[in-house]
Structures are given as C-alpha cells and as structure tokens.
Amino acid sequence: MKIRPGSQSTPQPPAVDGLAFILAWSYDRLDQDTVLQKLRSSINKLIESGACERAYFGKSRYRENFNILLAGGSKALVQIGAVDTVRQKGGIRIECNPAKFADGDAQQIHRVMRGLIGRREYNELMRRPLLNVVHFAVDIYHAALTRMLVRYDNAQRMSMMAKRVGKGGFIEGYNFGSVRSDYETTAYNKQQELVHAAILAIAQSSSSGFNDDPLKSNKIKQLKRVLEGPEIVRVEVRGKKMRGLPLWKLPQQTNRFARFHFADLSVAGIDLDPLIEKAFLAMCRQDGVKAALDAFKHTEHARKVHAFWRSHQATWWKPGELWLQACDALRETRMFPPEAFESPDSHAEKQPVKRRRAR
C-alpha cells in the first residue's frame, strides 16, 4: 500500500495485542502438592517432545512455569500452582499475544491445557476466566505524529511519562499514565518500529552466517514493503492490572480510547500567525496540549489558539466505535467460549425451568 498525498488518516479495527487471564483452579496447599506432582510428569513430556519449553523467573507467584510453542512462532506462557493459595484468585495463569496468532494457535493452547488438567475441567474453567492483563491496539494508516497534536484526558491526573524524539527532531511517541497506574496509554510511530524490526532481521540473518540468497531476498523485500507502505501511528490502551475482571464486565469499563483527542494538522482549519503557531505547537509537544492551552489563556491570542485547536479536531477518530470493536476483537481471538462473555445472571435465565411433579 503506497503513500498517496492527501490520503485521509484511517483507523484500522482494534487488535488484542496482549492478554493474560487467571483460571479459578484451586486446591488447598496439601492437595495442590499432590496434583502438581502428577502434572509435572506430563509437563516434562511436553517439553521433551518439543511442544513446550521451560520458562524461568527470578521470583514467580506460581510453582510451575512453561511456554507452549505455537505454530505461528509466538509463545503462550502457562503458570500453574499458586504459591499463595489464599490470596491468589486462581491456580492457573495464561499469557499470550493474540495479535501474533496464526490459524490454529488458540486451539493449540486449548489442546495442551485439556491434556494437562482434563477436558471437562478446563472447559468449565474457561467459562469464567478472570482478566489479568489486556492490551488493545489501533493502527491509524496515513498518519504521522509530526502532522498531529495528541491530547489525553485523565480526569484530574494526566502525565506525559515519555516523549521520544528521533535524531531528525521528529516525535516518535508519547506515553501517558504513571508506572504504578492500572492502565498505560501510548501513541507512537508504528512504521518506524516495523522498519527497525525488518533491518534487525536482515542484520541477524547476516551475523548468523546465513548465505541463503532467497532468505536474504525475502527479508529485503519485507523491508521494502514497509518503506513503501503507509505511515502508521499506533494507539494503545494497555490494561496492566485488570484485577481479576470477569470478561462480561469489560464492555462496562471506562472507554480509554475516548480520552484521546487528535488535532489533524494536515486538514484545513483556522490559521494562526506563523510565530504563534510555531510556539503553540512546540508547547503542545513539550508540555502537553492542556498546558499549552492554559499558557495562552490570558493572552491576546487565547481565542484564536483555542479556535485553531478545535478546528483541527480529527473527524476520523471515533472512540465509541473503537471500544465496541475492541471488545469484539477479544471474542474473535477464539480463546474463550461465548459463555465467558455472558453474565452469570443471563446464563441462569437461559437454563430450562424444571417442572415439579404433580402430587
């Protein structure tokens, strides 16, 4: 897809770019020891067969940690056996990146887990998973941070944690939210990340001593496709601490896409004097849009600066639609059965009512 001058910025449907959930598989400490002893033999066989590999942590809240090696090239981390059986909400934690799934990867995870803990028990646990982490990502094609302003509203608390500036002086990305917060949000230059990954792949193949011309040619073609492709800004909402949220409650959570506001400088809007515009844009990128608008509040340019900001509001950013699509994207990963997205009350209402026998 080549860049066309004047192409309108177009957000793509959201993807699930990170996922971790807990299953309420629980035993008291003594029973868990017995169950884990049986499981270890099965886990070791999976590792010996090449289907899985051991995962190592300095300190883990689980007693068994291993990766399922997926056909698409990614991994799914499985952690079994809660160290603290009282405080932890479940004895199984699974972490994966559905955005990297190839066809059949979700089913591969299910096959391994059913083989370990039993089909019936696993299927029942998956009806009520608890969200630990979920990341949603939206790619905006034909967009560049150098041609937009980004504002993120977070009630009384909004912090720009990082602003990465490339050697050429252009903005690569913004991170919003504190390190300790439950959520982190970011907007960054995705095309540059893809270019870096493609160049790294070429460098790694060369350093590994591969002299396979078709392989090198394929990697160079991948780099060329990225360079000739559209400019991309990625917007991510990263739920880092979902605190055991049931899946059916996710649509009811705050839509953090709605806290993003974009001013598209590539479309026509109110004009400012060149010097005022340059000063306003510099302050927006240095201190944030809210701080820049506040700085102009009591000056003779206040009205025009606010009109400039409002006149460039991106009409292509529709956060309400994106949030609904993001929740649907989680369904489409095929990690969870339909029942996992239904409240227990609605599920109970669907159960047939048993008639009493006439006496």
Side-chain angles (χ1 to χ4, degrees):
M1 191 185 299
K2 299 206 175 189
I3 300 173
R4 293 175 183 163
S7 295
Q8 183 180 357
S9 298
T10 310
Q12 303 302 297
V16 183
D17 198 43
L19 176 67
F21 58 93
I22 296 166
L23 301 179
W25 184 81
S26 60
Y27 295 87
D28 62 38
R29 185 61 183 264
L30 204 57
D31 288 341
Q32 183 173 265
D33 287 343
T34 304
V35 174
L36 282 175
Q37 273 187 339
K38 295 177 182 178
L39 282 179
R40 284 190 182 105
S41 174
S42 298
I43 293 170
N44 288 335
K45 286 179 182 177
L46 286 167
I47 293 171
E48 289 169 7
S49 71
C52 298
E53 67 178 14
R54 187 69 62 187
Y56 297 97
F57 296 91
K59 188 175 182 181
S60 174
R61 299 177 65 199
Y62 295 86
R63 300 169 69 188
E64 287 294 319
N65 303 276
F66 61 95
N67 289 311
I68 301 173
L69 304 178
L70 303 176
S74 64
K75 301 176 183 181
L77 172 65
V78 179
Q79 300 176 280
I80 300 181
V83 171
D84 189 336
T85 56
V86 176
R87 290 187 175 184
Q88 289 176 242
K89 293 185 178 180
I92 296 177
R93 182 179 183 274
I94 299 175
E95 181 177 341
C96 57
N97 185 346
K100 294 184 177 179
F101 278 1
D103 289 343
D105 280 357
Q107 289 74 14
Q108 188 178 345
I109 295 171
H110 298 325
R111 281 196 299 272
V112 170
M113 294 307 299
R114 286 176 184 134
L116 283 174
I117 65 174
R119 172 179 290 272
R120 185 174 178 180
E121 185 170 8
Y122 177 71
N123 289 350
E124 187 61 33
L125 289 170
M126 288 294 285
R127 286 159 57 93
R128 291 290 173 260
L130 302 174
L131 277 180
N132 190 210
V133 171
V134 65
H135 296 178
F136 293 123
V138 175
D139 286 338
I140 308 170
Y141 281 22
H142 307 291
L145 291 175
T146 52
R147 299 195 304 272
M148 66 171 63
L149 299 176
V150 185
R151 174 173 173 172
Y152 183 79
D153 298 329
N154 190 12
Q156 294 155 359
R157 177 171 70 113
M158 192 277 281
S159 58
M160 187 184 299
M161 294 302 296
K163 182 179 67 176
R164 300 184 296 275
V165 181
K167 290 180 181 178
F170 56 88
I171 297 169
E172 292 181 2
Y174 299 97
N175 292 338
F176 302 94
S178 70
V179 175
R180 291 187 294 274
S181 64
D182 290 358
Y183 282 83
E184 183 183 6
T185 54
T186 182
Y188 64 93
N189 186 327
K190 180 64 177 178
Q191 189 192 31
Q192 187 162 352
E193 182 183 77
L194 294 173
V195 169
H196 176 76
I199 292 173
L200 191 63
I202 294 170
Q204 286 176 339
S205 64
S206 299
S207 63
S208 300
F210 289 115
N211 292 314
D212 186 348
D213 288 337
L215 180 64
K216 283 186 179 179
S217 176
N218 184 48
K219 292 187 181 299
I220 291 169
K221 284 179 182 176
Q222 288 176 5
L223 174 59
K224 190 177 179 182
R225 278 197 298 269
V226 173
L227 291 171
E228 293 180 347
E231 294 175 290
I232 303 170
V233 167
R234 169 164 284 201
V235 177
E236 291 185 6
V237 170
R238 302 168 183 164
K240 302 183 296 181
K241 301 173 186 175
M242 301 304 291
R243 305 184 186 280
L245 183 77
L247 257 62
W248 61 270
K249 287 188 176 182
L250 183 62
Q252 305 165 19
Q253 302 307 297
T254 300
N255 177 4
R256 281 171 166 76
F257 287 127
R259 293 182 176 179
F260 278 99
H261 304 274
F262 297 96
D264 190 341
L265 304 179
S266 64
V267 299
I270 298 293
D271 291 327
L272 288 174
D273 293 337
L275 186 59
I276 298 302
E277 181 176 330
K278 188 172 183 179
F280 177 62
L281 297 183
M283 291 177 70
C284 287
R285 288 160 178 161
Q286 177 64 38
D287 303 318
V289 173
K290 185 177 184 299
L293 291 171
D294 286 344
F296 277 92
K297 188 177 289 185
H298 301 296
T299 71
E300 61 182 296
H301 308 290
R303 185 172 294 179
K304 265 208 159 186
V305 165
H306 277 268
F308 175 86
W309 163 253
R310 289 193 302 271
S311 70
H312 285 90
Q313 290 300 292
T315 57
W316 41 259
W317 183 248
K318 296 178 171 58
E321 292 179 13
L322 291 172
W323 181 243
L324 293 175
Q325 290 172 354
C327 293
D328 287 341
L330 188 56
R331 291 173 179 265
E332 291 163 9
T333 62
R334 304 186 71 179
M335 279 301 299
F336 307 105
E339 298 90 337
F341 298 91
E342 299 173 359
S343 72
D345 293 338
S346 67
H347 183 67
E349 288 172 4
K350 293 179 182 179
Q351 298 299 315
V353 178
K354 291 182 180 180
R355 296 181 179 179
R356 294 183 179 178
R357 290 184 182 179
R359 292 182 180 177

